[in-house]
Amino acid sequence: MSKNLVIVESPAKAKTIEKFLGTDYHVMSSFGHIRDLADKGIGIDFENNYEPQYVVSTDKKKLVSELKKASKDAETVWLASDEDREGEAIAWHLYEELKLKKDSTRRIVFHEITKDAILHAIETPRDIDVNLVDAQQARRVLDRIVGFELSPILWRKVRPSLSAGRVQSVAVRLIVEREREISQFVPEASYRVNAIFSSVDSKGKPVELKAELPQRFATKVEALAFLETCIKAEFSVDDIVKKPAKKSPAPPFTTSTLQQEAARKLGYSVAQTMQIAQRLYEAGKITYMRTDSVNLSDLALGTSKAEIISMAGEKYVHIRKFNTKTKGAQEAHEAIRPTYMNAHTVEGTAQEKKLYELIWKRTIASQMSDAELEKTSIFISVSGSNLQFVASGEVIVFDGFLKVYMESTDDEQDTENESLLPSMKKGEKLSSVEIIAQERFTQKPPRYGEASLVRKMEELGIGRPSTYAPTISTIQNRSYVEKGDRAPEKREYNLLKLKAGKISDKIKEENTGAEKSKLFPTDIGTVVNDFLIEYFPEILNYNFTADVEKEFDNIADGKIKWTKSIDKFYKKFHPIVEDTMKNSERKVGERILGVDPKSGRQLSVKIGKYGPLAQIGTVDEEEKPVFASLRKEQSIESISFEEALELFKLPRQVGEFEGKVMTVAIGRFGPYIRHDSSFYSLPKTDDPMEVSTERAIEIIEAKREVEKNRIIKTLGENNEIQVLNGRFGAYFTFDGVNYKIFPKGTDPATLTFERCQELIAAQPEAANKKKPFGRKAAAKSDKKEKAQTKAKTTKAKATKAKK
DNA sequence: CAGTGAGCGAGCTTCCGCTTGACTT
């Protein structure tokens, strides 16, 4: 039995540390927090000075009893959770729950997992910082109060099962407001002028030079006037300016910057990035992946230096210490870096390799020299005008860190690759090849993607490295926000071109506004957001978290008692909750669009039981209202009167077939024809408003034909196996499960019952190999989770009933 | 697997932050 028990938060960390400490130390992991506020009810005793009611989480019961046993057997227990607010609280909860003794308990901390750091920590133990623990209790209780008092208001006033909270509601707000900025955006046009000049170099070889006019023209008249003067103008090199410039590497990765770069460079979602990073961490390949620190350990700096020298030479080394700029960063860990800097790559899946290499490059680059550039600008004067063209070029004099890594940016539209310019002399005459004035429009603000939302949240100090990915899935799971694409729209622009002394004037077309994998607010998200902003502006304020963080700091510094701080908040907050519950109106986002010209009744849109709907008439009229669902891409906020009216043209009857009517409508899976209680999907090429009787019959018969050919044969005494024709070729089903037929080229007609049994036996492995990511898997796990909690609650109910 | 949208109003839902598995199609 070991004399010492060390408890850390992460099992991977436990494994590493145990190696450093030797046989006298047994290292165990708490797997994060071991207990939390009680889940039934609010878990806070308001009568008793906000006393938190902590319970050991059900999935931690077994672990806690193991820890308890191990702590009893040990002479000394070392609480080595992270050195931040949550870590301190974890230590305290362990102390309380394991009923540890003060004399035999030590609190130690280290921010890097190196032998020196850990041995040093063991030599310098301290007590649990009660003030820091209290700051965490205040954080926890505040979040519980906000979440559990706001959510029920939404259940009553908007829709059941909704949620609100300090972090998620602000995240949704960002997206709703961005969407409004975009829809209110009015693009402004101006004319940008580019020119191509030609000359000959010293050897008499012709060279071309691209230049741009820094000024833009507001109107076509001005642009045209400038081109007119260019017809007769002489062009000459007025000045050549060379300026040295520097580029510095970005700091090593934090959780947030890793998520952004992995999204930009590798196209991963934030959840994906975290899953892959977790695997690399567990395999000991990288340091901890949930961190807000850009700091590297001395060990890492040393090995990086050695690596750079062997790779590129001494002059590429520039050791740097980065400082975090992030609001509220707690810096309990190092930056995300490779464990061993000399490993340029790792074994593993393609995704793991790519992410690892990204981390390796970023880390190495952060310790490399600046890149040195020379920027050249050639100013070209135009006779008869005081405007000047500018040609700019950039040459890398010394590549420095660019040898391994360049950070990406979000706006990749300005990819004018500035390169080497031909050498020119002052006063040199140039002739113009062509000069183009192109109408350009100001850009809409971009929608947030997952990673750019994380960046914004981090900037506002909202959320923590461990919660970025979960928060993003929460707001999507609650259907406040949807990830989606937007097809580009065509836009006309004007192009004026001066060539060979003539100006041409053309209208051209460009694509604009295409978006991929961006976050869009849903109607329910918008309605909930507007409701919360109306009644709880303080909580939804972007600075709310920053303000309460200051308060928590004061608690941590011992300047104020946590219960006092919470009391101050609650006394203000709770009355508003009560008042809103009593006096606010139900919010369904109703918009009245006008009057239906046919019936003369009111046309409106709102959120209904099953989602957004349009409605003709009102419930208080004698005649019942008529309803129609909004299409997937429509929203209450932006739908027009005409578009809403259009919805009522379906379902529409398209005639009779075999004595039964055929109706065309649009359902969850798109347009369909219903006939004799069967459904027939409309091909994309058919417009549901136009489909004729003949065409509808054609579609029905086509599907029947496919159905007829679907069954190849049936096998087994009760036909329990069916061999069928599917979209991807023949397959067979048994007991509701589909099975592949192999080897390839097998004639399905020759299959026997016995052969099918063999194939069934062979399939489970094949099915297990493919692990799909994404919506399906997520929806599944969500469902399961729900089922589990349901089981839990029914169980709880049963035990209650027994009592 | 495609329709619904009043009601009797049961009993349910919900937060943030710290950690990893547990499941199948």
Side-chain angles (χ1 to χ4, degrees):
Chain A
M1 191 42 63
S2 292
K3 285 201 294 203
N4 296 284
L5 171 67
V6 182
I7 305 176
V8 295
E9 290 180 37
S10 145
K13 208 172 174 178
K15 236 169 52 189
T16 319
I17 290 173
E18 193 146 46
K19 272 188 282 182
F20 293 140
L21 285 175
T23 49
D24 275 353
Y25 291 83
H26 178 42
V27 187
M28 290 178 79
S29 155
S30 75
F31 291 81
H33 276 293
I34 52 155
R35 56 179 202 180
D36 190 15
L37 294 177
D39 217 12
K40 46 184 173 199
I42 199 158
I44 301 163
D45 189 352
F46 288 98
E47 316 288 66
N48 196 3
N49 207 18
Y50 305 95
E51 182 69 25
Q53 292 155 355
Y54 292 117
V55 292
V56 174
S57 339
T58 40
D59 53 330
K60 292 288 170 65
K61 288 242 161 78
K62 199 171 143 229
L63 173 76
V64 167
S65 68
E66 281 166 15
L67 287 171
K68 210 180 250 174
K69 189 168 172 297
S71 69
K72 282 218 177 91
D73 293 341
E75 267 171 38
T76 310
V77 179
W78 304 79
L79 300 175
S81 45
D82 297 343
E83 189 186 25
D84 58 13
R85 202 161 61 203
E86 297 298 326
E88 203 66 23
I90 288 174
W92 177 75
H93 280 301
L94 283 166
Y95 183 85
E96 294 277 308
E97 192 60 38
L98 304 182
K99 304 203 166 45
L100 301 179
K101 303 260 158 29
K102 198 166 191 307
D103 304 344
S104 57
T105 306
R106 306 272 186 283
R107 166 79 172 124
I108 53 168
V109 294
F110 38 83
H111 330 228
E112 26 181 273
I113 318 290
T114 57
K115 193 168 182 177
D116 286 350
I118 287 151
L119 293 180
H120 178 73
I122 294 273
E123 280 160 24
T124 53
R126 59 167 172 81
D127 287 330
I128 291 174
D129 182 345
V130 183
N131 289 335
L132 193 54
V133 172
D134 282 350
Q136 192 274 348
Q137 298 202 82
R139 199 281 303 155
R140 182 67 193 92
V141 166
L142 178 93
D143 281 338
R144 175 54 72 84
I145 291 174
V146 170
F148 275 39
E149 296 219 335
L150 285 187
S151 301
I153 305 180
L154 296 179
W155 305 342
R156 269 270 289 277
K157 303 293 180 176
V158 184
R159 187 204 271 182
S161 301
L162 294 174
S163 66
R166 176 176 59 84
V167 172
Q168 58 168 291
S169 297
V170 178
V172 174
R173 177 179 185 178
L174 283 166
I175 293 171
V176 170
E177 288 190 343
R178 178 57 57 90
E179 195 65 25
R180 290 201 171 126
E181 274 175 56
I182 291 169
S183 68
Q184 283 158 17
F185 183 83
V186 187
E188 278 177 37
S190 63
Y191 284 76
R192 184 175 79 182
V193 185
N194 286 291
I196 299 174
F197 296 107
S198 70
S199 173
V200 284
D201 68 5
S202 52
K203 287 170 195 155
K205 249 172 76 187
V207 288
E208 279 200 343
L209 184 67
K210 284 183 185 164
E212 187 182 334
L213 209 62
Q215 297 84 354
R216 295 199 174 189
F217 296 111
T219 63
K220 182 172 182 175
V221 176
E222 289 169 76
L224 219 45
F226 177 74
L227 290 190
E228 297 279 352
T229 55
C230 284
I231 295 179
K232 287 188 191 130
E234 285 198 335
F235 305 95
S236 59
V237 174
D238 188 58
D239 201 3
I240 301 170
V241 180
K242 293 194 174 182
K243 261 195 224 152
K246 268 198 321 195
K247 264 199 188 113
S248 300
F253 279 132
T254 60
T255 303
S256 141
T257 52
L258 176 68
Q259 289 171 349
Q260 289 159 44
E261 275 291 88
R264 288 187 290 233
K265 282 201 154 95
L266 308 174
Y268 299 166
S269 70
V270 301
Q272 241 179 321
T273 299
M274 294 312 282
Q275 277 167 10
I276 301 163
Q278 176 87 30
R279 288 204 296 271
L280 290 170
Y281 168 67
E282 282 169 12
K285 305 283 170 53
I286 59 169
T287 56
Y288 197 57
M289 63 284 155
R290 290 185 276 263
T291 176
D292 50 21
S293 171
V294 287
N295 188 51
L296 294 176
S297 69
D298 291 337
L299 178 85
L301 294 179
T303 52
S304 296
K305 183 175 172 181
E307 202 51 38
I308 297 165
I309 291 174
S310 83
M311 212 174 56
E314 187 94 41
K315 72 174 181 169
Y316 279 86
V317 178
H318 182 165
I319 297 303
R320 303 160 200 263
K321 289 260 180 190
F322 292 90
N323 292 320
T324 185
K325 282 176 237 147
T326 313
K327 243 190 234 176
Q330 309 208 358
E331 307 214 58
H333 305 93
E334 272 188 81
I336 304 171
R337 63 159 173 96
T339 319
Y340 306 106
M341 291 308 302
N342 57 1
H344 294 210
T345 180
V346 290
E347 295 292 307
T349 64
Q351 288 186 321
E352 286 166 24
K353 279 191 164 124
K354 280 189 200 159
L355 193 71
Y356 178 85
E357 279 159 30
L358 192 66
I359 295 168
W360 183 83
K361 284 180 181 170
R362 174 91 164 207
T363 312
I364 276 285
S366 79
Q367 301 307 320
M368 292 177 73
S369 318
D370 288 344
E372 285 166 34
L373 314 166
E374 188 181 72
K375 287 197 166 175
T376 307
S377 305
I378 300 178
F379 296 87
I380 298 152
S381 59
V382 183
S383 67
S385 164
N386 49 13
L387 298 177
Q388 281 190 324
F389 282 97
V390 182
S392 42
E394 197 177 85
V395 184
I396 295 176
V397 181
F398 173 64
D399 54 359
F401 77 95
L402 291 179
K403 207 179 181 75
V404 297
Y405 180 86
M406 183 64 211
E407 190 181 21
S408 309
T409 50
D410 275 334
D411 32 62
E412 236 118 72
Q413 351 173 337
D414 266 347
T415 38
E416 298 273 293
N417 47 335
E418 304 195 325
S419 55
L420 191 61
L421 295 176
S423 64
M424 298 258 154
K425 274 200 247 29
K426 228 173 168 174
E428 189 174 335
K429 294 268 180 290
L430 302 170
S431 51
S432 86
V433 179
E434 61 175 29
I435 300 178
I436 290 173
Q438 186 187 332
E439 189 182 15
R440 304 285 296 175
F441 299 88
T442 48
Q443 295 282 335
K444 289 179 184 178
R447 287 191 175 83
Y448 288 107
E450 287 190 356
S452 58
L453 182 64
V454 167
R455 181 172 63 181
K456 186 70 191 174
M457 287 168 63
E458 185 186 40
E459 195 184 307
L460 295 168
I462 295 163
R464 305 271 332 153
S466 68
T467 59
Y468 294 140
T471 302
I472 293 226
S473 21
T474 300
I475 59 177
Q476 291 180 69
N477 287 342
R478 297 252 174 277
S479 296
Y480 291 151
V481 162
E482 272 169 3
K483 216 199 284 189
D485 306 336
R486 275 288 181 281
E489 282 169 26
K490 296 236 181 288
R491 176 167 65 191
E492 290 188 338
Y493 69 93
N494 183 209
L495 189 82
L496 306 168
K497 190 193 253 183
L498 166 61
K499 197 165 184 176
K502 279 210 185 90
I503 297 173
S504 63
D505 181 346
K506 282 188 190 136
I507 298 293
K508 298 224 166 191
E509 220 175 36
E510 65 182 348
N511 283 330
T512 178
E515 300 251 48
K516 235 186 127 66
S517 227
K518 291 293 168 58
L519 299 171
F520 296 82
T522 61
D523 281 315
I524 193 79
T526 308
V527 168
V528 165
N529 178 255
D530 292 352
F531 180 87
L532 291 173
I533 287 184
E534 185 177 346
Y535 294 99
F536 299 95
E538 202 192 333
I539 308 290
L540 271 276
N541 189 313
Y542 291 126
N543 286 323
F544 178 68
T545 290
D547 292 343
V548 294
E549 281 290 338
K550 273 184 219 141
E551 191 78 3
F552 298 153
D553 286 345
N554 285 334
I555 296 169
D557 290 342
K559 289 181 195 154
I560 180 171
K561 248 186 105 97
W562 80 266
T563 45
K564 204 162 189 177
S565 172
I566 289 295
D567 187 55
K568 203 171 66 187
F569 169 76
Y570 191 69
K571 286 231 161 76
K572 228 166 75 186
F573 176 71
H574 190 67
I576 307 176
V577 169
E578 300 242 288
D579 182 61
T580 309
M581 203 52 138
K582 226 187 282 166
N583 300 323
S584 71
E585 297 243 326
R586 259 190 79 87
K587 267 267 159 66
V588 287
E590 189 178 31
R591 265 182 71 215
I592 295 158
L593 300 177
V595 175
D596 172 32
K598 253 189 247 154
S599 63
R601 304 170 76 195
Q602 175 186 289
L603 172 65
S604 62
V605 286
K606 67 172 193 191
I607 289 183
K609 223 155 120 191
Y610 309 104
L613 60 81
Q615 155 181 357
I616 292 177
T618 57
V619 277
D620 41 69
E621 289 166 356
E622 201 165 321
E623 195 184 338
K624 276 185 190 168
V626 191
F627 300 97
S629 287
L630 260 59
R631 305 260 189 277
K632 229 180 136 243
E633 63 289 346
Q634 292 175 327
S635 84
I636 287 180
E637 185 136 328
S638 63
I639 193 169
S640 69
F641 174 76
E642 290 75 19
E643 286 165 342
L645 214 51
E646 192 76 9
L647 295 170
F648 291 95
K649 296 198 175 150
L650 291 176
R652 100 179 211 280
Q653 301 202 346
V654 283
E656 285 190 9
F657 176 51
E658 297 171 344
K660 302 249 166 67
V661 290
M662 298 181 292
T663 3
V664 174
I666 295 181
R668 272 212 295 158
F669 307 109
Y672 64 91
I673 301 168
R674 195 174 62 182
H675 173 254
D676 195 13
S677 71
S678 291
F679 297 91
Y680 305 87
S681 286
L682 272 191
K684 278 210 178 82
T685 42
D686 284 285
D687 181 346
M689 300 308 298
E690 302 290 329
V691 171
S692 64
T693 314
E694 295 71 35
R695 176 66 187 141
I697 293 170
E698 218 177 286
I699 291 167
I700 291 172
E701 285 180 332
K703 181 164 179 202
R704 285 185 182 168
E705 186 64 23
V706 172
E707 283 289 306
K708 215 172 73 193
N709 294 330
R710 204 166 78 101
I711 301 176
I712 299 170
K713 70 196 291 191
T714 58
L715 297 165
E717 277 172 34
N718 306 313
N719 294 333
E720 56 265 47
I721 292 179
Q722 290 188 306
V723 185
L724 303 167
N725 254 323
R727 266 199 299 166
F728 310 112
Y731 68 102
F732 69 92
T733 76
F734 171 70
D735 206 15
V737 185
N738 297 345
Y739 296 91
K740 264 196 297 195
I741 296 171
F742 58 87
K744 260 191 182 166
T746 308
D747 180 359
T750 65
L751 284 174
T752 60
F753 186 76
E754 288 70 28
R755 180 64 193 142
C756 285
Q757 294 293 335
E758 284 169 37
L759 290 174
I760 290 168
Q763 302 267 328
E765 303 155 38
N768 272 343
K769 268 184 195 165
K770 273 191 193 167
K771 286 206 169 178
F773 276 110
R775 224 177 293 156
K776 246 188 185 168
K780 271 269 156 58
S781 70
D782 199 45
K783 232 188 243 165
K784 197 178 52 193
E785 234 170 67
K786 265 189 191 150
Q788 271 176 356
T789 49
K790 215 178 212 172
K792 236 198 294 179
T793 50
T794 45
K795 221 193 265 172
K797 239 189 299 171
T799 48
K800 223 187 227 172
K802 262 184 213 165
K803 279 183 190 170

